[in-house]
Amino acid sequence: MAELPAWHPHPEAWLLLGGALAAYLVALRVWGRPIRALGERAATRGQVALFATGVGVLLVGAEWPLHELSEGYLYSAHMVQHLLFTLIAPPLLIRGTPDWLLRRLLKPVLPVARVILRPAVAFVVFNAVLIFTHWPAVVDVSVRSEGLHFALHVLLVGSGVVMWWPVMSPLAELPRLSYPGQMVYLFLQSILPTVPASFLTFGSAPLYHVYETFPRLWGLSALDDMRIAGLIMKLGGGAVLWGVLTVVFFKWAGSERSGEPSAVEWQSVEREINRIGSAKP
């Protein structure tokens, strides 16, 4: 039976993610000067903590032992990585970035963002990436190529940001769904991944043949490992999505009691933006 791989650092992960956190802090300090001049914070402490936590989650997925386990031992570890990169880190990064900074970052690509971040398109994009990254041929090639594996991880994080946007968006010009809409959206997101998860959980043979060639850990066969990965995908991913759905439900109930509007329609927001943009100074 193989032993857990020995620890060794991944300086490229520390450099990339440390650079992202440093860029975030520099942006708050430099680009946030006009906001601080008005006596406001460029970002709250909570936002900074959320963004840093999101970066930390990405580091956990990219560092020892998950990196080594997913590339040379267990597909179930590979699945844990995917959950961290799509369902945990992206909402933390979105909620941790102040609206003015998101607006500045998205301004150069706003026309494209208006299309990709619409709920129906975001749903298709995320699930297309999900299917692509779990396709057996793609998995078999990616675990043998450090560069391709990294590219797929970037794609997963990006698709996670797109998927969470209709639920987490702080921008009026790219608004989130109404509370009922968020619940339907999250419910649908929780249903579709059960298809590939079922293939993994109830399969009679390993779906990813490359993992059959790897050393076995903890007495797990390749088939047992694949079934555990399916359960992680179904139960772990479902727990996150249904947990957020439950929070949205209680927010909706609270807004109904307080009379707070629960929806911002795309059309009305766009009309208001156009009106403001065309108004003379």
Side-chain angles (χ1 to χ4, degrees):
M1 190 187 323
E3 296 181 356
L4 189 69
W7 177 86
H8 71 272
H10 293 274
E12 69 283 358
W14 285 90
L15 183 62
L16 178 64
L17 296 174
L21 182 58
Y24 169 83
L25 296 174
V26 170
L28 294 182
R29 184 165 186 81
V30 177
W31 289 349
R33 285 172 183 165
I35 295 175
R36 292 199 303 276
L38 298 175
E40 301 178 7
R41 288 177 176 268
T44 66
R45 291 180 179 177
Q47 286 174 319
V48 175
L50 285 171
F51 190 90
T53 302
V55 172
V57 169
L58 293 177
L59 184 60
V60 168
E63 253 289 355
W64 181 92
L66 271 182
H67 178 84
E68 283 75 15
L69 290 175
S70 67
E71 286 202 343
Y73 293 87
L74 300 173
Y75 187 70
S76 52
H78 193 100
M79 190 62 71
V80 172
Q81 272 190 319
H82 283 203
L83 292 183
L84 294 177
F85 291 157
T86 57
L87 298 186
I88 306 299
L92 292 171
L93 298 175
I94 295 172
R95 293 300 295 269
T97 307
D99 56 354
W100 64 266
L101 181 53
L102 281 170
R103 187 172 288 111
R104 179 158 185 168
L105 293 173
L106 289 173
K107 184 176 180 180
V109 294
L110 188 57
V112 176
R114 286 183 184 277
V115 176
I116 294 178
L117 298 179
R118 285 180 177 270
V121 179
F123 181 88
V124 171
V125 167
F126 176 75
N127 286 286
V129 171
L130 178 75
I131 293 171
F132 174 73
T133 54
H134 289 86
W135 201 261
V138 174
V139 173
D140 286 353
V141 172
S142 68
V143 295
R144 294 188 174 98
S145 169
E146 189 79 22
L148 179 58
H149 206 175
F150 171 78
L152 290 179
H153 286 173
V154 173
L155 183 62
L156 284 167
V157 175
S159 71
V161 170
V162 169
M163 188 277 283
W164 282 107
W165 193 269
V167 179
M168 299 286 179
S169 170
L171 302 184
E173 57 268 39
L174 295 169
R176 69 184 72 178
L177 287 164
S178 66
Y179 288 140
Q182 291 177 37
M183 293 171 64
V184 172
Y185 177 81
L186 290 169
F187 171 74
L188 293 175
Q189 289 288 12
S190 72
I191 294 299
L192 196 56
T194 61
V195 176
S198 296
F199 280 105
L200 293 171
T201 305
F202 301 110
S204 58
L207 189 60
Y208 305 106
H209 299 301
V210 68
Y211 280 91
E212 294 182 89
T213 67
F214 291 156
R216 308 315 315 158
L217 280 177
W218 307 311
L220 287 176
S221 68
L223 183 58
D224 289 339
D225 175 40
M226 186 184 74
R227 289 172 173 168
I228 292 171
L231 290 174
I232 291 171
M233 186 180 195
K234 181 177 176 61
L235 300 180
V240 173
L241 293 169
W242 276 90
V244 176
L245 191 154
T246 302
V247 171
V248 171
F249 171 78
F250 283 109
K251 285 186 175 182
W252 180 31
S255 71
E256 290 294 312
R257 287 196 297 268
S258 65
E260 172 192 334
S262 63
V264 180
E265 295 182 355
W266 281 90
Q267 293 84 357
S268 62
V269 170
E270 290 173 351
R271 284 197 299 269
E272 182 64 10
I273 292 171
N274 291 334
R275 184 186 66 81
I276 294 173
S278 61
K280 295 182 179 180

